[in-house]
Amino acid sequence: MVDMNQLQALFGGTFDPVHYGHLKPVEALANQIGLARVIIMPNNVPPHRSQPEATSAQRKEMVELAIRDKPLFALDERELKRDTPSYTAETLQAWRQEQGPTRPLAFIIGQDSLLSFPQWHNYNTILDNCHLIVCRRPGYSLNMTEESHQQWLESHLTHDADSLHSLPAGKIYLAETPWFNISATLIRERLEKGEACDDLLPAAVLDYIIKQRLYC
Ligand code: ATP
């Protein structure tokens, strides 16, 4: 029998700041398919890329505030503590080694990240170590732009959530999570213009942003 309480997921991103578009689809996903734990892992942004406005410490604190009363979530600081670029493929390989070969593991991304996924460093090794679970995001296609990438997607695609629990890795699951038209960019822009953001992120995170005078 499939053990529905084993599947753990990592959820990476910049989280500048963390918002409901990150949290709510993942909470819905956990209810739909069963997830033991979702580990939020803010990344260290390499020097040649545009830097987050908040520091690593601030991004970490905002995630802590967002998840403090949500037992589903945990925080992993490994990429934040690194001073070299964060390559998801390497992080997931290390995580697999820690968890052993049989435990089901997943990496959660939004639809926009699925479209850019083939540009990620060593993307094709990621499914050796985990499943990929894709949350819906308004405005992005579910079809890859290149035919070879579409074939890659279809060769790993499953519509059966049980297979995420029964296999350790290798599947892509397009989850039917609710749409949230929220981005960190939108929040930063609204705060800069002095516009309200109460419906976009948890109150404790917004209070922190105001106290720290972030994004203004
Ligand atoms: P920015 O606007 O600064 O680019 P973002 O809002 O896209 O940031 P990230 O921290 O870059 O947030 O995203 C982390 C992960 O969360 C990515 O996989 C992304 O696809 C996903 N994600 C972010 N916002 C949403 C959303 N509204 N719905 C579904 N997935 C989302």
Side-chain angles (χ1 to χ4, degrees):
M1 204 176 106
V2 180
D3 182 349
M4 303 298 275
N5 297 309
Q6 284 292 308
L7 179 61
Q8 295 189 77
L10 262 187
F11 184 30
T14 310
F15 304 106
D16 184 28
V18 62
H19 54 69
Y20 285 143
H22 299 125
L23 302 168
K24 293 197 172 185
V26 172
E27 287 177 308
L29 175 73
N31 286 330
Q32 287 168 3
I33 68 165
L35 286 172
R37 207 159 56 127
V38 176
I39 304 158
I40 297 187
M41 188 178 58
N43 55 19
N44 168 33
V45 180
H48 60 275
R49 302 260 295 277
S50 79
Q51 290 296 303
E53 285 193 31
T55 64
S56 294
Q58 288 171 324
R59 290 185 293 128
K60 177 195 131 176
E61 280 185 64
M62 289 190 281
V63 171
E64 280 173 341
L65 288 167
I67 66 175
R68 66 181 171 185
D69 52 358
K70 294 180 186 296
L72 171 66
F73 292 99
L75 169 72
D76 188 316
E77 295 178 51
R78 75 179 77 198
E79 291 198 344
L80 278 181
K81 285 183 172 159
R82 240 184 244 161
D83 47 14
T84 51
S86 309
Y87 286 127
T88 303
E90 287 169 11
T91 302
L92 292 172
Q93 190 174 15
W95 192 40
R96 167 56 70 195
Q97 272 158 12
E98 286 162 27
Q99 297 292 325
T102 56
R103 185 154 192 183
L105 300 176
F107 188 64
I108 299 175
I109 56 175
Q111 237 170 293
D112 56 313
S113 301
L114 176 67
L115 297 178
S116 62
F117 197 76
Q119 276 88 57
W120 293 18
H121 177 74
N122 282 347
Y123 84 98
N124 51 353
T125 67
I126 289 179
L127 287 165
D128 296 340
N129 294 310
C130 65
H131 303 297
L132 207 53
I133 301 179
V134 183
C135 292
R136 288 170 164 175
R137 190 167 187 181
Y140 296 95
S141 166
L142 273 179
N143 290 312
M144 309 300 281
T145 40
E146 266 186 44
E147 183 52 36
S148 61
H149 297 154
Q150 183 63 22
Q151 281 168 12
W152 165 83
L153 169 64
E154 284 168 15
S155 68
H156 292 283
L157 202 58
T158 183
H159 301 288
D160 174 19
D162 283 358
S163 66
L164 305 172
H165 296 270
S166 58
L167 298 169
K171 297 289 176 198
I172 300 177
Y173 182 74
L174 305 180
E176 296 190 359
T177 46
W179 312 89
F180 290 93
N181 199 2
I182 303 176
S183 68
T185 305
L186 172 72
I187 292 172
R188 294 193 301 270
E189 285 171 359
R190 284 175 73 156
L191 289 168
E192 205 181 322
K193 290 191 241 161
E195 292 173 5
C197 286
D198 308 61
D199 50 342
L200 305 181
L201 72 177
V205 179
L206 188 54
D207 287 349
Y208 177 87
I209 288 172
I210 292 164
K211 285 196 186 110
Q212 295 277 316
R213 297 182 181 282
L214 263 169
Y215 313 122
C216 54

